[in-house]
CSV table of all heavy atoms in Angstrom, one decimal:
chain,number,residue,atom,x,y,z
A,1,ASN,N,-17.4,-0.5,-13.6
A,1,ASN,CA,-17.1,-1.8,-14.2
A,1,ASN,C,-15.7,-2.2,-13.7
A,1,ASN,O,-14.9,-1.5,-13.1
A,1,ASN,CB,-17.1,-1.7,-15.7
A,1,ASN,CG,-16.1,-0.8,-16.4
A,1,ASN,OD1,-15.0,-0.8,-15.9
A,1,ASN,ND2,-16.5,-0.1,-17.4
A,2,ILE,N,-15.4,-3.5,-14.0
A,2,ILE,CA,-14.2,-4.1,-13.4
A,2,ILE,C,-12.9,-3.4,-13.9
A,2,ILE,O,-11.9,-3.3,-13.2
A,2,ILE,CB,-14.2,-5.6,-13.7
A,2,ILE,CG1,-13.1,-6.3,-12.9
A,2,ILE,CG2,-14.0,-5.9,-15.2
A,2,ILE,CD1,-13.2,-7.8,-12.9
A,3,ASP,N,-12.9,-3.0,-15.2
A,3,ASP,CA,-11.7,-2.3,-15.7
A,3,ASP,C,-11.5,-1.0,-15.0
A,3,ASP,O,-10.3,-0.7,-14.6
A,3,ASP,CB,-11.9,-2.0,-17.2
A,3,ASP,CG,-11.8,-3.3,-18.1
A,3,ASP,OD1,-11.2,-4.3,-17.6
A,3,ASP,OD2,-12.4,-3.3,-19.2
A,4,ASN,N,-12.5,-0.3,-14.7
A,4,ASN,CA,-12.4,1.0,-14.0
A,4,ASN,C,-11.9,0.7,-12.5
A,4,ASN,O,-11.1,1.5,-12.0
A,4,ASN,CB,-13.7,1.8,-13.9
A,4,ASN,CG,-14.0,2.4,-15.3
A,4,ASN,OD1,-13.1,2.5,-16.1
A,4,ASN,ND2,-15.3,2.7,-15.5
A,5,ARG,N,-12.4,-0.4,-11.9
A,5,ARG,CA,-12.0,-0.7,-10.5
A,5,ARG,C,-10.5,-1.1,-10.5
A,5,ARG,O,-9.8,-0.7,-9.5
A,5,ARG,CB,-12.9,-1.8,-10.0
A,5,ARG,CG,-14.3,-1.4,-9.7
A,5,ARG,CD,-15.0,-2.3,-8.7
A,5,ARG,NE,-15.0,-3.7,-9.2
A,5,ARG,CZ,-16.0,-4.3,-9.9
A,5,ARG,NH1,-17.0,-3.5,-10.3
A,5,ARG,NH2,-15.9,-5.5,-10.2
A,6,SER,N,-10.1,-1.9,-11.5
A,6,SER,CA,-8.7,-2.2,-11.5
A,6,SER,C,-7.8,-1.0,-11.7
A,6,SER,O,-6.7,-0.9,-11.0
A,6,SER,CB,-8.4,-3.3,-12.5
A,6,SER,OG,-8.7,-2.9,-13.8
A,7,SER,N,-8.2,-0.2,-12.6
A,7,SER,CA,-7.4,1.1,-12.8
A,7,SER,C,-7.3,1.9,-11.6
A,7,SER,O,-6.3,2.5,-11.2
A,7,SER,CB,-8.0,1.9,-14.0
A,7,SER,OG,-7.9,1.1,-15.2
A,8,GLN,N,-8.5,2.1,-10.9
A,8,GLN,CA,-8.6,2.8,-9.7
A,8,GLN,C,-7.6,2.3,-8.7
A,8,GLN,O,-6.9,3.0,-8.0
A,8,GLN,CB,-10.0,2.9,-9.2
A,8,GLN,CG,-10.2,3.7,-8.0
A,8,GLN,CD,-11.6,3.6,-7.4
A,8,GLN,OE1,-12.1,2.6,-7.1
A,8,GLN,NE2,-12.3,4.7,-7.4
A,9,PHE,N,-7.6,0.9,-8.5
A,9,PHE,CA,-6.8,0.3,-7.5
A,9,PHE,C,-5.3,0.6,-7.8
A,9,PHE,O,-4.5,1.0,-6.9
A,9,PHE,CB,-7.0,-1.2,-7.5
A,9,PHE,CG,-6.1,-1.9,-6.6
A,9,PHE,CD1,-6.2,-1.9,-5.2
A,9,PHE,CD2,-5.0,-2.6,-7.1
A,9,PHE,CE1,-5.3,-2.5,-4.3
A,9,PHE,CE2,-4.1,-3.3,-6.3
A,9,PHE,CZ,-4.3,-3.2,-4.9
A,10,TRP,N,-4.8,0.4,-9.0
A,10,TRP,CA,-3.4,0.5,-9.3
A,10,TRP,C,-3.0,2.0,-9.3
A,10,TRP,O,-1.9,2.3,-8.9
A,10,TRP,CB,-3.1,-0.1,-10.7
A,10,TRP,CG,-3.2,-1.6,-10.7
A,10,TRP,CD1,-4.0,-2.4,-11.4
A,10,TRP,CD2,-2.4,-2.5,-9.8
A,10,TRP,NE1,-3.8,-3.7,-11.1
A,10,TRP,CE2,-2.9,-3.8,-10.1
A,10,TRP,CE3,-1.5,-2.3,-8.8
A,10,TRP,CZ2,-2.4,-4.9,-9.5
A,10,TRP,CZ3,-1.0,-3.4,-8.1
A,10,TRP,CH2,-1.4,-4.7,-8.5
A,11,ASN,N,-3.9,2.9,-9.7
A,11,ASN,CA,-3.6,4.3,-9.5
A,11,ASN,C,-3.4,4.7,-8.0
A,11,ASN,O,-2.4,5.4,-7.7
A,11,ASN,CB,-4.7,5.2,-10.1
A,11,ASN,CG,-4.8,5.1,-11.6
A,11,ASN,OD1,-3.8,4.8,-12.3
A,11,ASN,ND2,-5.9,5.4,-12.2
A,12,TRP,N,-4.2,4.1,-7.2
A,12,TRP,CA,-4.1,4.4,-5.8
A,12,TRP,C,-2.7,3.8,-5.3
A,12,TRP,O,-2.0,4.4,-4.5
A,12,TRP,CB,-5.2,3.7,-5.0
A,12,TRP,CG,-4.9,3.7,-3.5
A,12,TRP,CD1,-5.1,4.8,-2.6
A,12,TRP,CD2,-4.3,2.7,-2.7
A,12,TRP,NE1,-4.7,4.4,-1.4
A,12,TRP,CE2,-4.2,3.1,-1.4
A,12,TRP,CE3,-3.9,1.4,-3.1
A,12,TRP,CZ2,-3.7,2.3,-0.4
A,12,TRP,CZ3,-3.4,0.6,-2.0
A,12,TRP,CH2,-3.3,1.1,-0.7
A,13,PHE,N,-2.4,2.5,-5.7
A,13,PHE,CA,-1.2,1.9,-5.2
A,13,PHE,C,0.0,2.6,-5.7
A,13,PHE,O,1.0,2.8,-4.9
A,13,PHE,CB,-1.2,0.4,-5.7
A,13,PHE,CG,0.0,-0.3,-5.1
A,13,PHE,CD1,0.2,-0.5,-3.8
A,13,PHE,CD2,1.0,-0.8,-6.0
A,13,PHE,CE1,1.3,-1.2,-3.3
A,13,PHE,CE2,2.1,-1.4,-5.5
A,13,PHE,CZ,2.3,-1.6,-4.1
A,14,ASN,N,0.0,3.1,-6.9
A,14,ASN,CA,1.2,3.8,-7.5
A,14,ASN,C,1.4,5.1,-6.6
A,14,ASN,O,2.6,5.5,-6.4
A,14,ASN,CB,1.0,4.2,-8.9
A,14,ASN,CG,1.6,3.1,-9.8
A,14,ASN,OD1,2.8,2.8,-9.8
A,14,ASN,ND2,0.7,2.5,-10.7
A,15,SER,N,0.3,5.7,-6.2
A,15,SER,CA,0.4,6.9,-5.4
A,15,SER,C,0.9,6.7,-4.0
A,15,SER,O,1.3,7.6,-3.3
A,15,SER,CB,-0.9,7.7,-5.4
A,15,SER,OG,-1.3,8.1,-6.7
A,16,ASN,N,0.7,5.4,-3.5
A,16,ASN,CA,1.0,5.1,-2.1
A,16,ASN,C,2.0,4.0,-1.9
A,16,ASN,O,2.3,3.6,-0.8
A,16,ASN,CB,-0.3,4.7,-1.4
A,16,ASN,CG,-1.3,5.8,-1.3
A,16,ASN,OD1,-1.3,6.5,-0.3
A,16,ASN,ND2,-2.2,6.0,-2.3
A,17,LYS,N,2.6,3.6,-3.0
A,17,LYS,CA,3.6,2.4,-2.8
A,17,LYS,C,4.8,2.7,-2.0
A,17,LYS,O,5.3,1.8,-1.3
A,17,LYS,CB,4.0,1.9,-4.2
A,17,LYS,CG,4.8,2.8,-5.0
A,17,LYS,CD,5.0,2.3,-6.4
A,17,LYS,CE,6.0,3.1,-7.3
A,17,LYS,NZ,7.4,3.1,-6.8
A,18,ALA,N,5.2,4.0,-2.0
A,18,ALA,CA,6.3,4.4,-1.1
A,18,ALA,C,6.1,4.0,0.3
A,18,ALA,O,7.0,3.6,1.1
A,18,ALA,CB,6.7,5.9,-1.3
A,19,LYS,N,4.9,4.2,0.8
A,19,LYS,CA,4.5,3.9,2.2
A,19,LYS,C,4.7,2.4,2.4
A,19,LYS,O,5.2,2.0,3.5
A,19,LYS,CB,3.1,4.3,2.4
A,19,LYS,CG,2.6,3.9,3.8
A,19,LYS,CD,1.1,4.3,4.0
A,19,LYS,CE,0.6,3.9,5.4
A,19,LYS,NZ,-0.8,4.4,5.6
A,20,TYR,N,4.4,1.6,1.5
A,20,TYR,CA,4.5,0.1,1.7
A,20,TYR,C,5.9,-0.3,1.5
A,20,TYR,O,6.4,-1.3,2.2
A,20,TYR,CB,3.5,-0.6,0.7
A,20,TYR,CG,2.1,-0.4,1.1
A,20,TYR,CD1,1.4,0.7,0.6
A,20,TYR,CD2,1.5,-1.1,2.1
A,20,TYR,CE1,0.1,1.0,1.0
A,20,TYR,CE2,0.2,-0.9,2.6
A,20,TYR,CZ,-0.5,0.2,2.0
A,20,TYR,OH,-1.7,0.5,2.5
A,21,GLU,N,6.7,0.3,0.7
A,21,GLU,CA,8.1,0.1,0.6
A,21,GLU,C,8.8,0.4,1.9
A,21,GLU,O,9.7,-0.4,2.4
A,21,GLU,CB,8.7,0.9,-0.6
A,21,GLU,CG,8.2,0.4,-2.0
A,21,GLU,CD,8.6,1.4,-3.1
A,21,GLU,OE1,9.3,2.4,-2.8
A,21,GLU,OE2,8.1,1.2,-4.2
A,22,TYR,N,8.4,1.5,2.5
A,22,TYR,CA,9.0,1.9,3.8
A,22,TYR,C,8.6,0.9,4.8
A,22,TYR,O,9.4,0.4,5.6
A,22,TYR,CB,8.5,3.3,4.2
A,22,TYR,CG,9.0,3.7,5.5
A,22,TYR,CD1,10.2,4.2,5.7
A,22,TYR,CD2,8.1,3.6,6.6
A,22,TYR,CE1,10.7,4.6,7.0
A,22,TYR,CE2,8.6,3.9,7.9
A,22,TYR,CZ,9.8,4.5,8.1
A,22,TYR,OH,10.3,4.8,9.3
A,23,THR,N,7.3,0.4,4.8
A,23,THR,CA,6.8,-0.5,5.8
A,23,THR,C,7.6,-1.8,5.7
A,23,THR,O,8.1,-2.4,6.7
A,23,THR,CB,5.3,-0.8,5.6
A,23,THR,OG1,4.6,0.5,5.8
A,23,THR,CG2,4.8,-1.8,6.6
A,24,LEU,N,7.8,-2.3,4.5
A,24,LEU,CA,8.4,-3.6,4.3
A,24,LEU,C,9.9,-3.5,4.7
A,24,LEU,O,10.5,-4.5,5.2
A,24,LEU,CB,8.3,-4.1,2.9
A,24,LEU,CG,6.8,-4.5,2.5
A,24,LEU,CD1,6.8,-4.9,1.0
A,24,LEU,CD2,6.3,-5.6,3.4
A,25,ALA,N,10.5,-2.4,4.4
A,25,ALA,CA,11.9,-2.2,4.7
A,25,ALA,C,12.2,-2.0,6.1
A,25,ALA,O,13.4,-2.2,6.6
A,25,ALA,CB,12.5,-1.0,3.9
A,26,ASN,N,11.2,-1.7,6.9
A,26,ASN,CA,11.4,-1.4,8.3
A,26,ASN,C,10.5,-2.3,9.3
A,26,ASN,O,10.1,-1.8,10.3
A,26,ASN,CB,11.1,0.1,8.6
A,26,ASN,CG,12.1,0.9,7.9
A,26,ASN,OD1,13.2,1.1,8.4
A,26,ASN,ND2,11.7,1.5,6.7
A,27,LEU,N,10.2,-3.5,8.8
A,27,LEU,CA,9.3,-4.4,9.6
A,27,LEU,C,9.8,-4.6,11.0
A,27,LEU,O,9.0,-4.7,12.0
A,27,LEU,CB,9.1,-5.7,8.9
A,27,LEU,CG,8.3,-5.7,7.6
A,27,LEU,CD1,8.3,-7.1,7.0
A,27,LEU,CD2,6.8,-5.3,7.9
A,28,ASN,N,11.1,-4.7,11.2
A,28,ASN,CA,11.7,-5.0,12.5
A,28,ASN,C,11.7,-3.8,13.5
A,28,ASN,O,11.8,-4.0,14.7
A,28,ASN,CB,13.1,-5.5,12.4
A,28,ASN,CG,13.2,-6.8,11.7
A,28,ASN,OD1,12.2,-7.6,11.8
A,28,ASN,ND2,14.2,-7.1,10.9
A,29,SER,N,11.5,-2.6,12.9
A,29,SER,CA,11.6,-1.4,13.8
A,29,SER,C,10.2,-0.7,14.0
A,29,SER,O,10.0,0.0,14.9
A,29,SER,CB,12.6,-0.4,13.3
A,29,SER,OG,12.2,0.0,11.9
A,30,LEU,N,9.3,-1.0,13.1
A,30,LEU,CA,7.9,-0.4,13.2
A,30,LEU,C,7.1,-1.0,14.3
A,30,LEU,O,7.2,-2.2,14.5
A,30,LEU,CB,7.2,-0.4,11.9
A,30,LEU,CG,7.7,0.5,10.7
A,30,LEU,CD1,7.0,0.2,9.4
A,30,LEU,CD2,7.6,2.0,11.1
A,31,HIS,N,6.2,-0.3,14.9
A,31,HIS,CA,5.3,-0.8,15.8
A,31,HIS,C,4.2,-1.6,15.0
A,31,HIS,O,3.9,-1.3,13.9
A,31,HIS,CB,4.5,0.3,16.6
A,31,HIS,CG,3.7,-0.1,17.7
A,31,HIS,ND1,2.4,-0.6,17.5
A,31,HIS,CD2,3.9,-0.2,19.0
A,31,HIS,CE1,1.9,-1.0,18.7
A,31,HIS,NE2,2.8,-0.8,19.6
A,32,GLN,N,3.8,-2.8,15.6
A,32,GLN,CA,2.9,-3.7,14.9
A,32,GLN,C,1.6,-2.9,14.5
A,32,GLN,O,1.0,-3.2,13.5
A,32,GLN,CB,2.6,-4.9,15.8
A,32,GLN,CG,1.8,-5.9,15.1
A,32,GLN,CD,2.5,-6.5,13.9
A,32,GLN,OE1,3.7,-6.8,14.0
A,32,GLN,NE2,1.8,-6.7,12.8
A,33,GLY,N,1.2,-2.0,15.3
A,33,GLY,CA,0.0,-1.2,15.0
A,33,GLY,C,0.1,-0.5,13.7
A,33,GLY,O,-0.9,-0.4,12.9
A,34,GLU,N,1.3,0.1,13.5
A,34,GLU,CA,1.5,0.8,12.2
A,34,GLU,C,1.5,-0.1,11.0
A,34,GLU,O,0.9,0.2,10.0
A,34,GLU,CB,2.9,1.5,12.3
A,34,GLU,CG,3.1,2.6,13.3
A,34,GLU,CD,4.4,3.2,13.3
A,34,GLU,OE1,4.7,4.0,12.5
A,34,GLU,OE2,5.3,2.8,14.2
A,35,ILE,N,2.1,-1.3,11.2
A,35,ILE,CA,2.1,-2.3,10.1
A,35,ILE,C,0.6,-2.7,9.8
A,35,ILE,O,0.2,-2.8,8.6
A,35,ILE,CB,3.0,-3.5,10.5
A,35,ILE,CG1,4.4,-3.0,10.7
A,35,ILE,CG2,2.9,-4.6,9.4
A,35,ILE,CD1,5.3,-4.1,11.2
A,36,ASP,N,-0.1,-3.1,10.9
A,36,ASP,CA,-1.5,-3.5,10.7
A,36,ASP,C,-2.3,-2.4,10.0
A,36,ASP,O,-3.2,-2.8,9.1
A,36,ASP,CB,-2.1,-3.9,12.0
A,36,ASP,CG,-1.4,-5.1,12.6
A,36,ASP,OD1,-0.8,-5.9,11.9
A,36,ASP,OD2,-1.6,-5.3,13.9
A,37,GLU,N,-2.1,-1.2,10.4
A,37,GLU,CA,-2.9,-0.1,9.8
A,37,GLU,C,-2.7,0.0,8.3
A,37,GLU,O,-3.6,0.1,7.5
A,37,GLU,CB,-2.6,1.2,10.5
A,37,GLU,CG,-3.4,2.4,9.9
A,37,GLU,CD,-3.0,3.7,10.6
A,37,GLU,OE1,-2.1,3.7,11.5
A,37,GLU,OE2,-3.6,4.7,10.2
């Protein structure tokens, strides 16, 4: 159901948000392929 899907999404994001913080903090130095991935 939709509640389970939203919980699943945010649980995943909380576990992986450091990767996106790093990506956003280093947009000028990362290869575009890494950002796209």
Side-chain angles (χ1 to χ4, degrees):
N1 65 40
I2 191 168
D3 290 335
N4 288 340
R5 290 200 303 270
S6 62
S7 295
Q8 183 185 62
F9 173 76
W10 292 121
N11 288 338
W12 169 83
F13 184 64
N14 268 301
S15 298
N16 291 271
K17 66 187 183 71
K19 175 180 181 179
Y20 291 93
E21 293 168 6
Y22 176 82
T23 299
L24 293 177
N26 295 279
L27 288 176
N28 293 330
S29 58
L30 287 174
H31 189 277
Q32 187 61 45
E34 295 178 80
I35 298 171
D36 291 344
E37 181 181 1

